[in-house]
Amino acid sequence: MTRRAMGCIMLRLAGLTLIAILAFAANSVLARLALAGGMTDAGLYTGVRLLSGALVLAGLILLRRHGLRPVLAAGSWVGTGGLCAYALAFSYAYIALGAGTGALILFASVQFTMLGWSVHKGEMPGPAEWLGIGVALLAFGFLVWPGLTAPDPVAAGLMMLAGISWAVYSLVGRGSSSPLLDTAGNFLRSAPLALLLIGLGPLHPLGDWRSLVWAVLSGAVASGLGYAVWYAALPGLQRKQAAIVQLSVPALAAIGGVAFLGETPTARLLICSLAILGGVLLAIIAGERRRRIAAA
């Protein structure tokens, strides 16, 4: 392969990865835009998001000429349960959390759950990994500890639940031979809940019509297309690279919160962000190095 061809492949991979990471961060900003100040009902927002994502993913499968029958058989009810629990908890948490704070709690909860599952399965971390995990856990505890600048405890708890649910969804889908097909299947399985939430929408204030536009963008673009782009990028990324690039999501969400929502990051959030992300980064790098040495 020529150097020019290799350069084109790397440029494409970098572009796909950037688009996917921006889409993940956009989910936090869009949710906050729609739900801040009670602009719309969180359940209605979740229903519109899930249904929009299901329609877009089903459309992508049809464009690939697979037909809908494989989609209906793809995925799992356990995975769908994780997806729905994540989406609902995520929406209700963002009624009271800032974009950056919510993304950081979500990301940290996902990583802690995945690390805990690895330990449960017998993959014991080394000293450097324990150091990174310990730093991240202490910083996370300080972030959510009650105080003048601490996030709302109920909202923080809901976002932790969202993170745990997303980790369950990811663990169920790990090793999938067709992740895009399984994701489309899980989203389609969530359609009955989505329709129920939308049907209950008139019982609650609809608020600004723009909030429903944010929900459609979150489901169709940031979730549906974002996941499709991420799965296109994953084959070209090493496990460590995929984990590390996701560290940028809370920072990008915080930047989006400042730019589009006028949020002001607190010193507590900035300090905890650096400690949590730095600790997780240390654990990821040390873990990959330990596995590489063990395989040699």
Side-chain angles (χ1 to χ4, degrees):
M1 183 179 294
T2 66
R3 182 176 299 178
R4 181 177 179 180
M6 181 64 72
C8 290
I9 292 174
M10 295 304 296
L11 184 62
R12 177 180 178 274
L13 177 61
L16 290 173
T17 303
L18 177 60
I19 291 171
I21 294 303
L22 288 173
F24 296 158
N27 269 324
S28 294
V29 177
L30 289 168
R32 188 61 181 156
L33 277 170
L35 298 166
M39 286 183 63
T40 193
D41 176 62
L44 176 61
Y45 179 89
T46 304
V48 173
R49 180 187 176 192
L50 288 173
L51 187 60
S52 300
L55 292 173
V56 166
L57 288 166
L60 288 174
I61 298 299
L62 288 175
L63 285 175
R64 294 189 171 196
R65 299 178 181 175
H66 290 309
L68 280 180
R69 182 171 295 179
V71 181
L72 297 174
S76 69
W77 287 110
V78 175
T80 301
L83 173 65
C84 293
Y86 149 76
L88 272 170
F90 179 91
S91 297
Y92 280 99
Y94 263 126
I95 293 175
L97 291 179
T101 303
L104 182 62
I105 294 174
L106 175 71
F107 168 82
S109 300
V110 171
Q111 294 300 316
F112 292 151
T113 304
M114 301 285 270
L115 287 168
W117 180 254
S118 296
V119 172
H120 173 71
K121 298 299 287 185
E123 188 178 336
M124 294 302 296
E129 291 169 89
W130 278 123
L131 175 62
I133 294 169
V135 169
L137 280 172
L138 286 173
F140 186 76
F142 177 65
L143 174 68
V144 299
W145 191 262
L148 290 177
T149 57
D152 180 88
V154 175
L158 284 170
M159 193 58 84
M160 290 181 206
L161 174 60
I164 294 169
S165 300
W166 186 255
V168 170
Y169 176 78
S170 301
L171 288 168
V172 170
R174 180 180 284 179
S176 170
S177 59
S178 183
L180 180 58
L181 191 64
D182 285 335
T183 300
N186 286 326
F187 265 84
L188 281 178
R189 289 169 190 258
S190 75
L193 173 63
L195 291 171
L196 175 62
L197 293 170
I198 293 170
L200 294 174
L203 300 178
H204 306 282
L206 294 180
D208 194 321
W209 62 270
R210 288 174 296 181
S211 60
L212 299 183
V213 174
W214 305 144
V216 171
L217 288 175
S218 176
V221 180
S223 297
L225 294 178
Y227 297 160
V229 171
W230 179 242
Y231 290 138
L234 273 179
L237 294 172
Q238 296 177 4
R239 179 179 174 182
K240 179 175 69 176
Q241 292 173 325
I244 290 174
V245 295
Q246 292 180 75
L247 292 174
S248 62
V249 173
L252 290 172
I255 293 171
V258 173
F260 298 104
L261 297 161
E263 296 177 353
T264 303
T266 64
R268 183 176 189 158
L269 175 60
L270 292 174
I271 293 171
C272 291
S273 297
L274 290 174
I276 292 171
L277 299 181
V280 171
L281 177 62
L282 173 61
I284 291 171
I285 293 175
E288 286 296 314
R289 182 181 180 186
R290 178 175 54 81
R291 279 186 284 271
R292 189 168 57 249
I293 292 174

